[in-house]
Amino acid sequence: MRETSRDKQIGTIYNELIKQIRGSINPSLFDTLFSGDSFELKSLSNNKAVFVADSESNATIIRTNLLTPIQQALSKLMETPMEIEITDKKTYAKRDALVAQANRSFFQNSLLQQNLTFENFVIGPNNRDAYLASLIAVENPGNNNPIFLYSKSGLGKTHLLHAIGNATQAKYPDKKVLYITSDDFITEFVKYSLGNKDSNNLKDFFNTIDLLLVDDIQFLAKREGSQMMFFNVFNLLVNQHKQIVLTSDRSPSELKDLPDRLVSRFAGGLSIAITSPNQQTLVEILKMKIKISGLKEEMFEPEVLTYLADNYGKNVRELEGAYTNLLFAIATHKQQGLITLDFTRSVFEADEERKVKSGKVNIDSVITTVADYYGMSENQLKSKVRTSQIALARQIAMYLSRKILSLPYQEIGKVFGKDHSTVLTNVQKIEKMKETDESLNKVLNELSTKIKAEQRA
Protein backbone atom coordinates (compact mmCIF):
# COMPACT_ATOMS: atom_id res chain seq x y z
CA MET A 1 0.00 0.00 0.00
CA ARG A 2 1.36 3.43 -0.99
CA GLU A 3 2.27 5.61 1.99
CA THR A 4 0.15 8.75 2.19
CA SER A 5 1.20 12.17 3.47
CA ARG A 6 -1.00 11.50 6.49
CA ASP A 7 0.96 8.31 7.20
CA LYS A 8 4.24 10.24 6.96
CA GLN A 9 2.96 12.88 9.37
CA ILE A 10 1.96 10.23 11.92
CA GLY A 11 5.34 8.52 11.46
CA THR A 12 7.20 11.78 12.10
CA ILE A 13 5.20 12.51 15.25
CA TYR A 14 5.73 8.96 16.52
CA ASN A 15 9.50 9.06 15.96
CA GLU A 16 9.80 12.34 17.84
CA LEU A 17 7.65 10.98 20.66
CA ILE A 18 9.85 7.90 21.04
CA LYS A 19 12.96 10.11 21.21
CA GLN A 20 11.44 12.02 24.11
CA ILE A 21 10.52 8.99 26.23
CA ARG A 22 13.60 6.84 25.45
CA GLY A 23 15.77 8.38 28.15
CA SER A 24 13.36 7.58 30.98
CA ILE A 25 13.17 3.82 30.39
CA ASN A 26 15.60 0.95 31.01
CA PRO A 27 17.34 0.29 27.65
CA SER A 28 16.66 -3.47 27.56
CA LEU A 29 13.03 -2.96 28.49
CA PHE A 30 12.77 -0.11 25.98
CA ASP A 31 14.05 -2.40 23.20
CA THR A 32 11.46 -5.02 24.15
CA LEU A 33 8.53 -2.63 24.28
CA PHE A 34 9.29 -0.07 21.57
CA SER A 35 11.79 -1.40 19.00
CA GLY A 36 10.73 -2.08 15.39
CA ASP A 37 7.02 -2.78 15.08
CA SER A 38 6.61 -3.63 18.77
CA PHE A 39 4.68 -0.40 19.32
CA GLU A 40 2.96 1.74 16.69
CA LEU A 41 0.90 4.91 16.45
CA LYS A 42 -2.07 3.76 14.36
CA SER A 43 -4.28 6.82 14.28
CA LEU A 44 -4.29 10.47 15.30
CA SER A 45 -7.50 12.45 15.06
CA ASN A 46 -9.87 14.60 17.13
CA ASN A 47 -7.23 14.99 19.86
CA LYS A 48 -7.07 11.22 20.30
CA ALA A 49 -4.15 8.90 19.55
CA VAL A 50 -4.43 5.12 19.25
CA PHE A 51 -1.26 3.12 19.92
CA VAL A 52 -0.91 -0.60 19.26
CA ALA A 53 1.54 -2.93 21.06
CA ASP A 54 2.55 -6.29 19.64
CA SER A 55 1.07 -8.27 22.55
CA GLU A 56 -1.61 -7.85 25.17
CA SER A 57 0.91 -8.18 28.01
CA ASN A 58 3.12 -5.42 26.58
CA ALA A 59 0.06 -3.24 26.06
CA THR A 60 -0.85 -3.78 29.72
CA ILE A 61 2.65 -2.91 30.91
CA ILE A 62 2.75 0.28 28.84
CA ARG A 63 -0.83 1.26 29.69
CA THR A 64 -0.31 0.65 33.41
CA ASN A 65 3.10 2.22 33.84
CA LEU A 66 3.88 4.55 30.93
CA LEU A 67 0.54 6.03 29.87
CA THR A 68 1.11 9.36 31.64
CA PRO A 69 4.65 10.00 30.23
CA ILE A 70 3.44 9.16 26.71
CA GLN A 71 0.35 11.35 27.09
CA GLN A 72 2.37 14.28 28.43
CA ALA A 73 5.01 13.99 25.70
CA LEU A 74 2.43 13.74 22.91
CA SER A 75 0.37 16.64 24.30
CA LYS A 76 3.53 18.75 24.29
CA LEU A 77 4.32 17.76 20.71
CA MET A 78 0.77 18.44 19.51
CA GLU A 79 0.49 21.58 21.65
CA THR A 80 -2.93 20.46 22.87
CA PRO A 81 -4.23 17.98 25.48
CA MET A 82 -4.37 14.50 23.95
CA GLU A 83 -6.44 11.45 24.83
CA ILE A 84 -4.46 8.19 24.62
CA GLU A 85 -5.65 4.65 23.88
CA ILE A 86 -3.20 1.74 24.09
CA THR A 87 -4.31 -1.66 22.81
CA ASP A 88 -2.72 -4.75 21.26
CA LYS A 89 -2.59 -5.98 17.66
CA LYS A 90 -5.12 -8.77 18.07
CA THR A 91 -7.66 -6.53 19.77
CA TYR A 92 -7.12 -3.81 17.18
CA ALA A 93 -7.60 -6.32 14.36
CA LYS A 94 -10.80 -7.54 15.99
CA ARG A 95 -12.48 -4.19 15.54
CA ASP A 96 -13.79 -5.22 12.16
CA ALA A 97 -15.31 -8.25 13.82
CA LEU A 98 -16.87 -6.01 16.44
CA VAL A 99 -18.54 -3.99 13.72
CA ALA A 100 -20.02 -7.19 12.36
CA GLN A 101 -21.14 -8.19 15.83
CA ALA A 102 -22.99 -4.91 16.17
CA ASN A 103 -25.61 -6.49 13.92
CA ARG A 104 -26.13 -9.32 16.41
CA SER A 105 -29.41 -9.14 18.29
CA PHE A 106 -28.03 -9.90 21.75
CA PHE A 107 -24.75 -9.63 23.69
CA GLN A 108 -23.15 -7.25 21.20
CA ASN A 109 -20.20 -6.53 23.50
CA SER A 110 -19.35 -10.18 24.09
CA LEU A 111 -15.88 -11.05 22.82
CA LEU A 112 -13.32 -13.71 23.60
CA GLN A 113 -9.92 -12.51 24.81
CA GLN A 114 -7.54 -13.91 22.22
CA ASN A 115 -4.54 -13.80 24.55
CA LEU A 116 -6.07 -16.26 27.05
CA THR A 117 -5.23 -19.69 25.64
CA PHE A 118 -4.34 -23.19 26.79
CA GLU A 119 -0.78 -22.55 25.60
CA ASN A 120 -0.14 -19.79 28.15
CA PHE A 121 -2.11 -21.37 31.00
CA VAL A 122 0.32 -22.64 33.63
CA ILE A 123 -0.67 -26.09 34.89
CA GLY A 124 -0.04 -27.13 38.49
CA PRO A 125 -1.41 -29.60 41.03
CA ASN A 126 -4.05 -27.02 42.00
CA ASN A 127 -5.65 -26.72 38.55
CA ARG A 128 -4.69 -29.84 36.58
CA ASP A 129 -8.15 -31.44 36.77
CA ALA A 130 -9.83 -28.18 35.71
CA TYR A 131 -7.41 -27.90 32.78
CA LEU A 132 -8.15 -31.47 31.65
CA ALA A 133 -11.90 -30.91 31.98
CA SER A 134 -11.55 -27.78 29.84
CA LEU A 135 -9.80 -29.80 27.15
CA ILE A 136 -12.70 -32.27 27.25
CA ALA A 137 -15.10 -29.39 26.60
CA VAL A 138 -13.25 -28.78 23.33
CA GLU A 139 -12.51 -32.36 22.25
CA ASN A 140 -15.78 -34.00 23.33
CA PRO A 141 -18.38 -31.23 23.63
CA GLY A 142 -21.70 -32.11 25.21
CA ASN A 143 -20.56 -35.30 26.95
CA ASN A 144 -20.27 -33.57 30.34
CA ASN A 145 -22.95 -30.95 30.89
CA PRO A 146 -22.32 -28.63 32.44
CA ILE A 147 -18.65 -28.44 33.29
CA PHE A 148 -18.64 -26.42 36.50
CA LEU A 149 -15.34 -24.84 37.62
CA TYR A 150 -15.20 -23.15 41.01
CA SER A 151 -12.57 -21.39 43.11
CA LYS A 152 -11.75 -18.17 44.91
CA SER A 153 -11.16 -15.11 42.76
CA GLY A 154 -8.03 -14.82 40.65
CA LEU A 155 -7.11 -18.50 40.27
CA GLY A 156 -7.65 -18.96 36.53
CA LYS A 157 -11.34 -19.75 35.95
CA THR A 158 -11.85 -16.92 33.47
CA HIS A 159 -8.61 -17.80 31.67
CA LEU A 160 -9.87 -21.36 31.14
CA LEU A 161 -13.25 -20.16 29.84
CA HIS A 162 -11.59 -18.01 27.19
CA ALA A 163 -9.10 -20.79 26.40
CA ILE A 164 -12.01 -23.19 25.78
CA GLY A 165 -13.69 -20.64 23.52
CA ASN A 166 -10.54 -19.83 21.56
CA ALA A 167 -9.63 -23.49 21.09
CA THR A 168 -13.16 -24.33 19.96
CA GLN A 169 -13.18 -21.55 17.38
CA ALA A 170 -9.78 -22.67 16.10
CA LYS A 171 -10.90 -26.29 15.77
CA TYR A 172 -14.46 -25.63 14.59
CA PRO A 173 -14.52 -22.24 12.78
CA ASP A 174 -18.23 -22.56 11.97
CA LYS A 175 -19.33 -23.08 15.56
CA LYS A 176 -20.83 -20.12 17.41
CA VAL A 177 -19.20 -19.50 20.78
CA LEU A 178 -20.63 -17.13 23.38
CA TYR A 179 -18.70 -15.96 26.46
CA ILE A 180 -20.72 -13.91 28.94
CA THR A 181 -20.86 -13.14 32.64
CA SER A 182 -24.02 -13.74 34.63
CA ASP A 183 -24.36 -9.94 34.84
CA ASP A 184 -24.37 -9.81 31.03
CA PHE A 185 -27.17 -12.38 30.97
CA ILE A 186 -29.21 -10.47 33.56
CA THR A 187 -28.76 -7.16 31.70
CA GLU A 188 -29.79 -8.68 28.38
CA PHE A 189 -32.79 -10.43 29.93
CA VAL A 190 -34.00 -7.20 31.56
CA LYS A 191 -33.78 -5.31 28.24
CA TYR A 192 -35.61 -8.16 26.51
CA SER A 193 -38.35 -8.38 29.15
CA LEU A 194 -38.92 -4.60 28.94
CA GLY A 195 -39.64 -4.94 25.24
CA ASN A 196 -36.41 -3.41 23.94
CA LYS A 197 -35.85 -6.55 21.89
CA ASP A 198 -39.41 -7.17 20.78
CA SER A 199 -38.40 -8.15 17.25
CA ASN A 200 -36.23 -10.99 18.48
CA ASN A 201 -36.58 -13.83 20.92
CA LEU A 202 -33.84 -14.36 23.49
CA LYS A 203 -34.40 -18.10 23.71
CA ASP A 204 -34.30 -18.36 19.91
CA PHE A 205 -30.97 -16.54 19.94
CA PHE A 206 -29.46 -19.17 22.26
CA ASN A 207 -30.72 -21.82 19.88
CA THR A 208 -27.98 -20.63 17.50
CA ILE A 209 -25.18 -20.99 20.09
CA ASP A 210 -22.96 -24.08 20.03
CA LEU A 211 -20.83 -23.37 23.10
CA LEU A 212 -22.00 -21.29 26.08
CA LEU A 213 -19.40 -20.01 28.57
CA VAL A 214 -20.80 -18.23 31.63
CA ASP A 215 -18.55 -16.58 34.22
CA ASP A 216 -19.58 -16.03 37.87
CA ILE A 217 -22.89 -17.85 37.72
CA GLN A 218 -23.37 -17.21 41.47
CA PHE A 219 -24.52 -13.67 40.67
CA LEU A 220 -27.69 -15.10 39.18
CA ALA A 221 -28.94 -15.41 42.78
CA LYS A 222 -32.18 -13.63 43.70
CA ARG A 223 -32.96 -12.90 40.04
CA GLU A 224 -36.09 -14.96 39.58
CA GLY A 225 -36.92 -13.87 36.05
CA SER A 226 -33.35 -14.32 34.85
CA GLN A 227 -33.18 -17.68 36.62
CA MET A 228 -36.26 -18.90 34.81
CA MET A 229 -34.89 -17.82 31.44
CA PHE A 230 -31.50 -19.38 32.15
CA PHE A 231 -33.20 -22.62 33.21
CA ASN A 232 -34.94 -22.74 29.83
CA VAL A 233 -31.75 -21.87 27.94
CA PHE A 234 -29.79 -24.48 29.90
CA ASN A 235 -32.29 -27.23 29.07
CA LEU A 236 -32.44 -26.15 25.44
CA LEU A 237 -28.67 -26.43 24.94
CA VAL A 238 -28.23 -29.63 26.96
CA ASN A 239 -31.00 -31.35 25.01
CA GLN A 240 -29.16 -30.43 21.81
CA HIS A 241 -25.88 -31.82 23.26
CA LYS A 242 -24.25 -28.41 23.12
CA GLN A 243 -21.54 -27.73 25.67
CA ILE A 244 -22.08 -25.42 28.65
CA VAL A 245 -19.20 -24.37 30.93
CA LEU A 246 -19.91 -22.39 34.09
CA THR A 247 -17.67 -20.83 36.74
CA SER A 248 -18.43 -19.78 40.28
CA ASP A 249 -16.71 -18.78 43.50
CA ARG A 250 -18.26 -21.82 45.25
CA SER A 251 -19.43 -25.35 44.51
CA PRO A 252 -22.98 -26.01 43.22
CA SER A 253 -24.09 -27.31 46.64
CA GLU A 254 -22.99 -24.02 48.27
CA LEU A 255 -24.90 -21.73 45.91
CA LYS A 256 -27.49 -19.70 47.76
CA ASP A 257 -30.74 -18.13 46.54
CA LEU A 258 -30.88 -20.26 43.41
CA PRO A 259 -33.79 -22.67 42.79
CA ASP A 260 -33.07 -26.31 43.61
CA ARG A 261 -33.86 -27.44 40.09
CA LEU A 262 -31.15 -25.15 38.71
CA VAL A 263 -28.60 -26.15 41.36
CA SER A 264 -29.31 -29.84 40.75
CA ARG A 265 -28.61 -29.38 37.05
CA PHE A 266 -25.34 -27.60 37.80
CA ALA A 267 -24.35 -30.44 40.13
CA GLY A 268 -25.39 -33.06 37.57
CA GLY A 269 -22.39 -32.43 35.35
CA LEU A 270 -18.67 -32.34 36.06
CA SER A 271 -17.82 -30.10 39.03
CA ILE A 272 -14.13 -29.36 39.68
CA ALA A 273 -12.45 -27.11 42.24
CA ILE A 274 -9.37 -25.01 41.57
CA THR A 275 -7.30 -24.50 44.71
CA SER A 276 -4.54 -22.02 45.53
CA PRO A 277 -1.29 -22.60 43.59
CA ASN A 278 1.83 -23.77 45.40
CA GLN A 279 5.11 -21.88 45.24
CA GLN A 280 6.43 -23.87 42.29
CA THR A 281 3.33 -23.15 40.21
CA LEU A 282 3.49 -19.45 41.09
CA VAL A 283 7.12 -19.32 39.99
CA GLU A 284 6.19 -21.04 36.71
CA ILE A 285 3.45 -18.44 36.19
CA LEU A 286 6.04 -15.69 36.64
CA LYS A 287 8.31 -17.39 34.11
CA MET A 288 5.42 -17.43 31.66
CA LYS A 289 4.76 -13.72 32.29
CA ILE A 290 8.44 -12.95 31.68
CA LYS A 291 8.31 -14.85 28.38
CA ILE A 292 5.09 -13.12 27.30
CA SER A 293 6.67 -9.75 28.17
CA GLY A 294 9.45 -10.50 25.69
CA LEU A 295 12.10 -10.64 28.42
CA LYS A 296 14.49 -13.41 29.41
CA GLU A 297 14.31 -15.39 32.62
CA GLU A 298 18.07 -14.91 33.02
CA MET A 299 17.46 -11.20 33.65
CA PHE A 300 16.12 -12.09 37.10
CA GLU A 301 17.90 -13.63 40.05
CA PRO A 302 15.99 -16.87 40.86
CA GLU A 303 15.31 -15.61 44.37
CA VAL A 304 13.34 -12.70 42.88
CA LEU A 305 10.70 -15.07 41.55
CA THR A 306 10.56 -16.91 44.86
CA TYR A 307 10.17 -13.61 46.71
CA LEU A 308 7.24 -12.53 44.53
CA ALA A 309 5.61 -15.96 44.80
CA ASP A 310 5.94 -16.05 48.60
CA ASN A 311 4.77 -12.49 49.21
CA TYR A 312 2.26 -11.86 46.41
CA GLY A 313 0.95 -15.33 45.65
CA LYS A 314 -2.47 -15.03 47.24
CA ASN A 315 -3.86 -15.34 43.73
CA VAL A 316 -2.64 -14.95 40.17
CA ARG A 317 -3.99 -11.41 39.78
CA GLU A 318 -2.04 -10.22 42.82
CA LEU A 319 1.09 -11.91 41.45
CA GLU A 320 0.65 -10.25 38.06
CA GLY A 321 0.23 -6.88 39.76
CA ALA A 322 3.47 -7.32 41.70
CA TYR A 323 5.32 -8.35 38.54
CA THR A 324 3.99 -5.31 36.67
CA ASN A 325 5.14 -3.03 39.51
CA LEU A 326 8.60 -4.60 39.37
CA LEU A 327 8.83 -3.99 35.61
CA PHE A 328 7.82 -0.39 36.14
CA ALA A 329 10.57 0.03 38.74
CA ILE A 330 13.11 -1.53 36.38
CA ALA A 331 12.11 0.98 33.71
CA THR A 332 11.99 4.07 35.90
CA HIS A 333 15.19 3.27 37.82
CA LYS A 334 16.96 2.32 34.57
CA GLN A 335 18.14 -0.82 36.33
CA GLN A 336 20.98 -2.48 34.43
CA GLY A 337 22.17 -6.09 34.50
CA LEU A 338 20.77 -8.80 36.77
CA ILE A 339 17.61 -7.93 38.68
CA THR A 340 18.53 -8.96 42.21
CA LEU A 341 16.55 -9.83 45.32
CA ASP A 342 17.92 -6.74 47.07
CA PHE A 343 16.65 -4.48 44.28
CA THR A 344 13.28 -6.24 44.30
CA ARG A 345 12.95 -5.86 48.06
CA SER A 346 13.72 -2.16 47.71
CA VAL A 347 10.86 -1.85 45.21
CA PHE A 348 8.42 -3.31 47.73
CA GLU A 349 10.07 -1.73 50.77
CA ALA A 350 7.05 0.36 51.71
CA ASP A 351 4.83 -2.71 51.52
CA GLU A 352 7.24 -4.68 53.70
CA GLU A 353 7.34 -1.90 56.27
CA ARG A 354 3.57 -1.85 56.35
CA LYS A 355 3.48 -5.60 56.97
CA VAL A 356 6.04 -5.32 59.75
CA LYS A 357 4.08 -2.53 61.44
CA SER A 358 0.83 -4.45 61.17
CA GLY A 359 2.37 -7.68 62.49
CA LYS A 360 4.43 -8.69 65.49
CA VAL A 361 6.61 -11.32 63.88
CA ASN A 362 10.34 -10.90 63.32
CA ILE A 363 13.23 -13.34 63.21
CA ASP A 364 13.60 -13.24 67.00
CA SER A 365 9.99 -14.31 67.48
CA VAL A 366 10.49 -17.14 64.96
CA ILE A 367 13.52 -18.35 66.90
CA THR A 368 11.58 -18.14 70.19
CA THR A 369 8.67 -20.14 68.77
CA VAL A 370 10.95 -22.88 67.39
CA ALA A 371 13.03 -23.03 70.58
CA ASP A 372 9.92 -23.34 72.74
CA TYR A 373 8.57 -26.07 70.48
CA TYR A 374 11.71 -28.15 70.93
CA GLY A 375 12.17 -27.31 74.60
CA MET A 376 15.51 -25.57 74.21
CA SER A 377 16.85 -22.06 74.74
CA GLU A 378 17.20 -19.41 72.06
CA ASN A 379 20.94 -19.31 72.71
CA GLN A 380 21.18 -23.03 71.98
CA LEU A 381 19.39 -22.47 68.70
CA LYS A 382 21.84 -19.73 67.69
CA SER A 383 24.91 -21.53 69.02
CA LYS A 384 27.42 -23.63 67.07
CA VAL A 385 26.31 -26.85 68.80
CA ARG A 386 25.71 -29.54 66.17
CA THR A 387 23.76 -32.22 68.00
CA SER A 388 21.12 -33.63 65.68
CA GLN A 389 18.08 -32.12 67.41
CA ILE A 390 19.59 -28.63 67.83
CA ALA A 391 20.92 -28.67 64.26
CA LEU A 392 17.49 -29.64 62.90
CA ALA A 393 15.72 -26.98 64.99
CA ARG A 394 18.23 -24.38 63.79
CA GLN A 395 17.66 -25.37 60.14
CA ILE A 396 13.88 -25.17 60.64
CA ALA A 397 14.19 -21.69 62.19
CA MET A 398 16.26 -20.54 59.20
CA TYR A 399 13.75 -22.09 56.80
CA LEU A 400 10.73 -20.44 58.47
CA SER A 401 12.53 -17.07 58.66
CA ARG A 402 13.04 -17.31 54.93
CA LYS A 403 9.58 -18.58 54.00
CA ILE A 404 7.40 -16.53 56.33
CA LEU A 405 9.41 -13.32 56.62
CA SER A 406 11.10 -13.48 53.17
CA LEU A 407 14.36 -12.30 54.73
CA PRO A 408 17.54 -12.32 52.62
CA TYR A 409 19.94 -15.18 53.38
CA GLN A 410 22.57 -12.68 54.49
CA GLU A 411 20.23 -11.18 57.10
CA ILE A 412 19.30 -14.60 58.48
CA GLY A 413 22.96 -15.54 58.55
CA LYS A 414 23.87 -12.53 60.70
CA VAL A 415 21.46 -13.64 63.43
CA PHE A 416 22.77 -17.20 63.47
CA GLY A 417 26.43 -16.33 62.93
CA LYS A 418 26.44 -18.09 59.54
CA ASP A 419 27.35 -17.00 56.04
CA HIS A 420 24.95 -16.69 53.11
CA SER A 421 25.79 -20.07 51.57
CA THR A 422 25.29 -21.96 54.86
CA VAL A 423 21.82 -20.52 55.32
CA LEU A 424 20.95 -21.29 51.69
CA THR A 425 22.15 -24.89 52.12
CA ASN A 426 20.10 -25.35 55.29
CA VAL A 427 16.94 -23.93 53.72
CA GLN A 428 17.37 -26.18 50.68
CA LYS A 429 17.94 -29.17 52.96
CA ILE A 430 14.60 -28.61 54.71
CA GLU A 431 12.93 -28.14 51.30
CA LYS A 432 14.33 -31.50 50.18
CA MET A 433 13.38 -33.30 53.40
CA LYS A 434 9.81 -32.00 53.11
CA GLU A 435 9.30 -34.03 49.96
CA THR A 436 9.44 -37.38 51.81
CA ASP A 437 9.27 -36.67 55.56
CA GLU A 438 5.64 -36.55 56.73
CA SER A 439 6.59 -35.84 60.37
CA LEU A 440 8.69 -32.86 59.32
CA ASN A 441 5.80 -31.48 57.29
CA LYS A 442 3.58 -31.76 60.36
CA VAL A 443 6.12 -29.87 62.47
CA LEU A 444 6.51 -27.13 59.86
CA ASN A 445 2.75 -26.72 59.55
CA GLU A 446 2.30 -26.47 63.31
CA LEU A 447 5.10 -23.93 63.68
CA SER A 448 3.88 -21.88 60.70
CA THR A 449 0.39 -21.77 62.21
CA LYS A 450 1.76 -20.56 65.55
CA ILE A 451 3.92 -17.87 63.96
CA LYS A 452 1.18 -16.59 61.65
CA ALA A 453 -1.31 -16.54 64.52
CA GLU A 454 1.10 -14.34 66.45
CA GLN A 455 1.40 -12.07 63.42
CA ARG A 456 -2.37 -11.61 63.32
CA ALA A 457 -2.69 -11.09 67.09
Side-chain angles (χ1 to χ4, degrees):
M1 183 183 294
R2 186 169 61 88
E3 186 179 48
T4 66
S5 59
R6 178 65 175 169
D7 293 331
K8 290 180 179 179
Q9 182 185 16
I10 289 177
T12 300
I13 292 171
Y14 177 76
N15 290 336
E16 185 60 34
L17 174 69
I18 292 300
K19 286 180 184 178
Q20 291 195 22
I21 66 173
R22 178 189 290 272
S24 62
I25 301 172
N26 169 278
S28 60
L29 190 59
F30 179 89
D31 290 341
T32 298
L33 297 175
F34 297 103
S35 64
D37 295 332
S38 298
F39 192 68
E40 300 175 82
L41 175 57
K42 285 292 188 181
S43 67
L44 191 64
S45 63
N46 298 323
N47 294 342
K48 179 178 179 179
V50 178
F51 292 90
V52 177
D54 61 351
S55 70
E56 193 274 339
S57 61
N58 284 356
T60 300
I61 292 169
I62 296 169
R63 188 165 51 241
T64 303
N65 301 308
L66 301 172
L67 179 63
T68 299
I70 291 174
Q71 186 172 32
Q72 290 175 344
L74 185 61
S75 297
K76 184 177 179 181
L77 278 173
M78 301 300 293
E79 299 182 351
T80 187
M82 295 295 297
E83 179 184 350
I84 302 294
E85 177 186 352
I86 297 173
T87 186
D88 61 276
K89 287 184 177 179
K90 287 185 178 180
T91 301
Y92 188 76
K94 279 283 182 180
R95 290 190 174 178
D96 287 341
L98 281 171
V99 172
Q101 280 191 253
N103 297 321
R104 191 166 67 184
S105 301
F106 300 96
F107 304 102
Q108 294 181 8
N109 295 322
S110 170
L111 191 66
L112 287 170
Q113 295 184 38
Q114 301 298 309
N115 61 302
L116 299 180
T117 66
F118 287 125
E119 288 72 22
N120 59 28
F121 183 81
V122 177
I123 307 165
N126 65 305
N127 59 26
R128 190 178 305 277
D129 289 346
Y131 171 80
L132 294 174
S134 299
L135 291 179
I136 290 173
V138 178
E139 299 299 329
N140 297 294
N143 286 351
N144 296 277
N145 251 335
I147 292 177
F148 193 102
L149 307 179
Y150 62 96
S151 75
K152 296 178 182 177
S153 178
L155 296 182
K157 303 185 298 294
T158 299
H159 189 139
L160 284 174
L161 282 186
H162 286 281
I164 293 168
N166 286 320
T168 298
Q169 287 192 329
K171 186 171 183 177
Y172 309 103
D174 294 334
K175 284 195 173 184
K176 292 186 178 180
V177 176
L178 179 66
Y179 164 84
I180 57 173
T181 66
S182 58
D183 281 343
D184 293 332
F185 184 85
I186 292 166
T187 299
E188 208 67 41
F189 172 75
V190 169
K191 289 192 294 185
Y192 171 73
S193 62
L194 291 175
N196 295 345
K197 302 284 185 178
D198 55 0
S199 62
N200 300 282
N201 186 287
L202 184 57
K203 188 175 177 181
D204 288 344
F205 166 78
F206 277 100
N207 199 36
T208 69
I209 300 300
D210 298 295
L211 170 63
L212 177 61
L213 309 165
V214 185
D215 218 350
D216 291 323
I217 195 65
Q218 72 273 9
F219 292 125
L220 207 59
K222 297 183 180 179
R223 301 281 188 166
E224 294 183 5
S226 298
Q227 290 170 3
M228 175 65 75
M229 175 58 76
F230 191 81
F231 179 79
N232 292 330
V233 168
F234 185 97
N235 290 335
L236 173 71
L237 296 181
V238 169
N239 290 337
Q240 295 179 5
H241 301 288
K242 294 179 177 180
Q243 184 65 61
I244 301 172
V245 186
L246 310 173
T247 74
S248 174
D249 63 355
R250 67 204 74 174
S251 68
S253 63
E254 295 173 317
L255 290 171
K256 305 296 182 184
D257 300 310
L258 285 175
D260 290 343
R261 61 179 182 175
L262 202 52
V263 172
S264 66
R265 279 163 173 76
F266 293 168
L270 184 60
S271 299
I272 297 178
I274 301 176
T275 58
S276 298
N278 59 22
Q279 184 196 76
Q280 182 180 353
T281 302
L282 291 167
V283 169
E284 291 302 318
I285 290 171
L286 285 170
K287 290 179 180 179
M288 176 66 76
K289 295 299 176 185
I290 291 170
K291 181 180 178 181
I292 292 173
S293 300
L295 303 176
K296 293 183 179 179
E297 185 182 329
E298 293 74 21
M299 282 182 61
F300 301 84
E301 194 174 59
E303 293 175 4
V304 169
L305 306 189
T306 303
Y307 172 87
L308 293 177
D310 287 345
N311 289 276
Y312 299 95
K314 182 179 178 182
N315 59 55
V316 178
R317 290 196 190 103
E318 181 184 52
L319 189 68
E320 290 174 340
Y323 173 68
T324 300
N325 287 338
L326 179 60
L327 289 188
F328 177 65
I330 293 170
T332 54
H333 289 273
K334 302 181 185 179
Q335 184 69 16
Q336 302 290 333
L338 185 68
I339 307 304
T340 65
L341 177 60
D342 286 340
F343 172 76
T344 303
R345 286 178 65 88
S346 71
V347 172
F348 298 98
E349 183 177 5
D351 196 33
E352 287 194 9
E353 290 177 355
R354 178 186 58 77
K355 289 180 180 179
V356 169
K357 289 178 181 178
S358 63
K360 300 178 181 179
V361 174
N362 53 36
I363 192 167
D364 290 332
S365 60
V366 171
I367 291 172
T368 299
T369 302
V370 175
D372 288 346
Y373 186 89
Y374 281 99
M376 61 183 66
S377 70
E378 296 169 29
N379 288 334
Q380 282 179 303
L381 208 61
K382 293 189 283 187
S383 71
K384 295 183 179 180
V385 177
R386 295 185 178 181
T387 60
S388 59
Q389 187 176 31
I390 292 177
L392 177 62
R394 185 182 300 125
Q395 290 163 355
I396 288 174
M398 291 180 182
Y399 171 83
L400 293 174
S401 296
R402 175 68 180 168
K403 295 302 174 182
I404 295 178
L405 303 180
S406 300
L407 295 176
Y409 294 118
Q410 297 94 325
E411 189 172 332
I412 298 172
K414 288 178 183 178
V415 176
F416 286 91
K418 307 291 183 183
D419 60 23
H420 168 279
S421 60
T422 300
V423 178
L424 174 60
T425 299
N426 286 332
V427 171
Q428 290 177 337
K429 183 176 181 179
I430 297 297
E431 286 276 16
K432 185 68 176 177
M433 291 171 64
K434 278 178 58 186
E435 296 176 4
T436 56
D437 193 331
E438 292 289 340
S439 61
L440 175 62
N441 275 305
K442 183 179 178 181
V443 169
L444 292 174
N445 288 335
E446 290 178 3
L447 287 169
S448 295
T449 300
K450 288 177 180 290
I451 293 168
K452 290 176 180 178
E454 181 181 347
Q455 191 171 26
R456 291 192 295 269

